[in-house]
């Protein structure tokens, strides 16, 4: 490993993940949102049309001419981090990286044929080495997952929507796709945060980086636990009106709120899934072609069911209560029907119906209710 640009602290030895598939770190909501996006009416038509029209060569020339390309000669410490991230995630081709002048901390991975990573000067100046390593890993994760294609389409369509805002129906059609793309991209950020943690392998550095993006370079004034407590307060605060306001606040954004990202990443870092990856047990890219689409759907559905069941948000709790109530109602109705028709089917059936009938009389067991809620 190389030393950082100041030459004072050698980089740590970290684990490598040969042949790792992006499925290892992709958030279930990322996959399901992308599937939903592809099913959106008109998306395939628009995407195919845009693939041939997007000025990708122009983008590359723009960054080449008006930004600084990272190399051994320029921003060498970022170049080391980039190659290191690609080595850890086993990305064969190192994507070009550019530093562009912009005081706002930001980074992105774009490109249709080949991904390009762009980081702003605001981000480079804000983060220390370990925090920046997580960000570079985040962007390499986007590249490995193939997110750059949809991110490029989103950038183009957002600009197009502004240009044709005076055309009512045209703007509505474009904004429907933009809204769906934003929903997917917010979920994809959670996946890329996980990739950044796999590269940096320092959850505290990942937390610090997110705090700095939210509150600036004042670490002595911030606290990770208090920052994570904000996410918990945000999730459970208020009533149904606040839940609706949360939805409205997040719709125009391409990224989830920073405290939410931190809480999601911390939770994943403490999960069995993360530990299995660190122990060397993870899906490989060589197995991607054999992946079951049904299993992916099932995993995504299970994630959303768990989210509804465990969420502290008032709206989500209401949805869970309604689903649970529907389960109780179905169990009650089923018990009464079995009671009504079970007597004619012999003693065994009658006994079974009697048991179900007791549950149906307001004592439905938790298994039936939980099954319907999921």
């Amino acid at each position: 490993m190389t030393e950082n640009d100041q030459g004072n602290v050698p980089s740590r030895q970290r684990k490598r993940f040969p042949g790792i598939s992006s499925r290892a770190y992709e958030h279930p909501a990322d996959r399901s949102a992308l599937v939903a996006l592809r099913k959106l009416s008109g998306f395939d038509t628009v995407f195919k049309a845009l693939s041939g029209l997007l000025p990708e060569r122009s983008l590359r020339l723009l960054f080449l001419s008006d930004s600084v390309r990272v190399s051994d000669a320029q921003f060498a410490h970022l170049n080391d981090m980039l190659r290191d991230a690609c080595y850890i995630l086993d990305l064969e081709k190192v994507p070009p990286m550019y530093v562009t002048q912009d005081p706002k901390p930001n980074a992105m991975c774009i490109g249709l044929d080949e991904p390009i990573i762009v980081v702003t000067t605001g981000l480079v100046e804000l983060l220390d080495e370990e925090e920046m390593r997580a960000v570079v890993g985040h962007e390499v994760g986007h590249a490995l997952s193939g997110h750059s294609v949809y991110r490029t389409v989103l950038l183009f369509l957002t600009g197009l929507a502004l240009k044709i805002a005076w055309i009512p129906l045209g703007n509505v059609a474009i904004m429907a796709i933009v809204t769906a793309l934003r929903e997917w991209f917010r979920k994809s950020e959670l996946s890329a945060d996980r990739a950044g943690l796999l590269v940096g392998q320092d959850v505290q550095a990942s937390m610090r980086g997110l705090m700095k993006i939210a509150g600036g370079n004042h670490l002595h004034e911030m606290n990770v636990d208090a920052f994570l407590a904000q996410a918990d307060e945000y999730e459970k605060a208020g009533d149904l009106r606040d839940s609706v306001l949360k939805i409205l606040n997040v719709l125009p954004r391409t990224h989830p709120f920073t405290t939410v990202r931190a809480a999601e990443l911390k939770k994943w870092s403490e999960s069995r899934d993360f530990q299995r990856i660190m122990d060397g047990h993870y899906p490989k890219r060589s197995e991607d072609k054999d992946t079951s689409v049904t299993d992916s759907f099932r995993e995504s559905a299970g994630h959303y069911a768990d989210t509804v069941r465990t969420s502290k948000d008032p709206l989500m709790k209401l949805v869970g209560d309604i689903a649970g109530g529907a389960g109780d109602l179905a169990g009650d109705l089923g018990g009464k029907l079995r009671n009504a028709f079970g007597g004619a089917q012999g003693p065994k059936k009658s006994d079974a119906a009697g048991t179900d009938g007791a549950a149906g009389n307001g004592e439905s067991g938790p298994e039936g209710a939980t099954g319907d809620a999921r």
Side-chain angles (χ1 to χ4, degrees), residues 1-2 158 252 278 319 324:
M1 298 289 177
T2 60
T158 302
M278 295 304 294
V319 170

Side-chain angles (χ1 to χ4, degrees), residues 280-326:
H281 305 295
Y282 51 83
K284 304 288 181 67
R285 291 199 288 275
S286 59
E287 304 162 353
D288 282 351
K289 62 182 183 300
D290 301 321
T291 304
S292 167
V293 176
T294 304
D295 289 344
S296 296
F297 277 133
R298 189 178 296 114
E299 185 180 355
S300 299
H303 162 76
Y304 278 113
D306 288 340
T307 299
V308 171
R309 189 172 58 254
T310 61
S311 177
K312 300 171 186 175
D313 180 83
L315 181 58
M316 286 294 186
K317 287 175 71 175
L318 177 63
V319 170
D321 290 343
I322 292 172

Side-chain angles (χ1 to χ4, degrees), residues 17 100 322:
F17 309 103
T100 189
I322 292 172

Side-chain angles (χ1 to χ4, degrees), residues 146-182:
H147 290 160
S148 61
V149 175
Y150 298 98
R151 173 60 165 157
T152 306
V153 172
L154 174 58
L155 283 172
F156 181 81
L157 287 179
T158 302
L160 181 62
L162 293 175
K163 292 178 182 177
I164 65 170
W166 60 276
I167 308 176
L169 291 179
N171 189 49
V172 167
I174 293 295
M175 284 309 299
I177 295 176
V178 167
T179 300
L181 273 167
R182 282 176 178 159

Side-chain angles (χ1 to χ4, degrees), residues 205-330:
S206 294
M207 294 293 109
R208 291 198 312 269
L210 289 169
M211 280 199 307
K212 283 185 175 181
I213 291 171
N217 193 15
H218 303 282
L219 273 180
H220 62 289
E221 298 284 355
M222 294 185 279
N223 177 278
V224 171
D225 291 335
F227 188 67
L228 292 172
Q230 288 180 226
D232 187 61
E233 182 180 348
Y234 170 79
E235 184 181 1
K236 66 183 181 184
D239 53 20
L240 292 178
R241 291 171 299 177
D242 292 307
S243 297
V244 174
L245 289 174
K246 290 176 190 176
I247 295 171
L248 294 176
N249 283 341
V250 81
L251 280 178
R253 296 173 59 92
T254 55
H255 289 59
F257 291 117
T258 320
T259 57
V260 175
R261 290 173 62 184
E264 282 278 344
L265 186 60
K266 185 70 161 55
K267 181 180 177 182
W268 188 68
S269 73
E270 297 168 349
S271 70
R272 187 170 178 270
D273 289 341
F274 175 71
Q275 191 55 55
R276 281 181 58 80
I277 296 173
M278 295 304 294
D279 290 341
H281 305 295
Y282 51 83
K284 304 288 181 67
R285 291 199 288 275
S286 59
E287 304 162 353
D288 282 351
K289 62 182 183 300
D290 301 321
T291 304
S292 167
V293 176
T294 304
D295 289 344
S296 296
F297 277 133
R298 189 178 296 114
E299 185 180 355
S300 299
H303 162 76
Y304 278 113
D306 288 340
T307 299
V308 171
R309 189 172 58 254
T310 61
S311 177
K312 300 171 186 175
D313 180 83
L315 181 58
M316 286 294 186
K317 287 175 71 175
L318 177 63
V319 170
D321 290 343
I322 292 172
D328 291 341
L329 180 62

